Amino acid sequence: MPHLDRYMDMKTDLDILLVATRLVEELGDDAVRLAKVKLVELIAANNLRAAAFWRDVLRVCEEQAGIKPADVLQPRPPASDQAKLAAH
């Protein structure tokens, strides 16, 4: 009898790819932001299995959108700095 865990992993991988692809198609670059919010919510709710799924969705969304993980996580400059940059 085949080992069922192997088939479950394949199904999960396909689910991750399906969800990430659909999010990027529908939301573009905002898909990364949505996946990140979902991940944070699930971690806060201590739902680690679902959080692992959304962590992988986030990674695939970043790849498909062509965004480096560091680009997403960079904080915005303070408003005063933005005003100075806009004045140039």
Side-chain angles (χ1 to χ4, degrees):
M1 186 165 150
H3 198 265
L4 295 178
D5 289 340
R6 186 176 81 194
Y7 296 109
M8 292 301 291
D9 288 343
M10 287 175 52
K11 182 177 187 282
T12 302
D13 291 344
L14 291 175
D15 291 340
I16 291 165
L17 187 59
L18 177 69
V19 170
T21 301
R22 187 62 184 246
L23 282 175
V24 172
E25 285 175 359
E26 296 285 329
L27 302 175
D29 291 346
D30 289 337
V32 174
R33 187 173 294 117
L34 177 92
K36 186 175 178 183
V37 167
K38 191 70 173 167
L39 174 61
V40 169
E41 289 174 351
L42 290 165
I43 290 171
N46 202 29
N47 190 341
L48 301 182
R49 186 172 182 193
F53 175 84
W54 279 95
R55 184 175 296 113
D56 290 338
V57 169
L58 173 62
R59 181 185 47 79
V60 174
C61 284
E62 289 170 344
E63 290 173 3
Q64 289 186 357
I67 298 173
K68 297 176 190 168
D71 292 345
V72 176
L73 301 176
Q74 291 297 322
R76 286 184 158 174
S80 60
D81 291 347
Q82 287 180 351
K84 291 176 188 175
L85 292 173
H88 282 117

